[in-house]
Amino acid sequence: MMAQSGAQSLQSLIVFLAVLVVIAGIGIGAWSMRPVPSYASVEQKAGSPFDATFTAENTNPWFPLKGLKLNCVLDHVRASGREPTLIEATDVRFPAGAVDELKPGEVATFRCPFRALFGLPPLAEDYSTAHRAQIYFRATYELPFFGTIRLSDNSVPYFLNTRLLPPRWTSKPEG
């Protein structure tokens, strides 16, 4: 009798743990399917690298990025002692007909007004300052199906790659 009761308890525990594993798996799967923007630097032929144009793309094949707000972060300029500074992206341009939403596969362009942030000197010195800088982007958007929940996502760091002509921001220096 005690063996049968113990076996039933063990069976109940195994079923309970299996249900928990299935629920956790569904949660992890749903979380991995959430839309996350992908960023790139637009080729810049002239002007300051701190006035560069960037793109944000919704690479998720199923869900839109709704309520998208883009911010730029000047993480640091080496040897300057400057604290990380978050500023709102300017000149944000969504595809025609969209206000703050990127449907799957759509791309928006934006600018990071870092130059105005600390009154950078003329272009000749801009590249030397930018070469020591690290930036990243912070996007906030609504969780699909739960519009009241907002997610935020930080991009990987970007560095000015002067080995490319013309120089542009890349996610990791090539070399």
Side-chain angles (χ1 to χ4, degrees), residues 24-166:
I26 290 170
I28 290 170
W31 183 253
S32 67
M33 291 177 54
R34 78 189 188 289
V36 177
S38 171
Y39 304 95
S41 173
V42 175
E43 186 174 302
Q44 183 174 351
K45 300 208 184 306
S48 168
F50 283 112
D51 289 331
T53 300
F54 299 93
T55 61
E57 179 182 3
N58 181 1
T59 56
N60 187 292
W62 299 291
F63 302 111
L65 287 165
K66 290 185 178 184
L68 182 62
K69 302 287 183 219
L70 297 165
N71 292 293
C72 308
V73 180
L74 179 62
D75 193 13
H76 72 271
V77 178
R78 279 179 235 132
S80 73
R82 184 168 200 64
E83 291 292 319
T85 307
L86 181 129
I87 56 175
E88 191 173 334
T90 60
D91 297 330
V92 180
R93 295 202 170 112
F94 289 96
V99 176
D100 63 352
E101 177 180 358
L102 284 179
K103 292 180 178 143
E106 289 186 334
V107 176
T109 60
F110 63 98
R111 298 185 80 160
C112 293
F114 292 129
R115 187 174 169 83
L117 184 64
F118 55 133
L120 288 173
L123 181 62
E125 297 174 35
D126 242 5
Y127 278 97
S128 65
T129 303
H131 191 62
R132 297 185 314 264
Q134 177 179 312
I135 65 173
Y136 67 91
F137 310 108
R138 176 173 291 154
T140 56
Y141 53 95
E142 297 170 1
L143 181 64
F145 307 114
F146 302 99
T148 58
I149 299 173
R150 292 195 54 84
L151 299 174
S152 70
D153 178 70
N154 290 339
S155 73
V156 297
Y158 283 77
F159 307 88
L160 185 68
N161 189 342
T162 56
R163 293 182 181 175
L164 298 174
L165 293 176

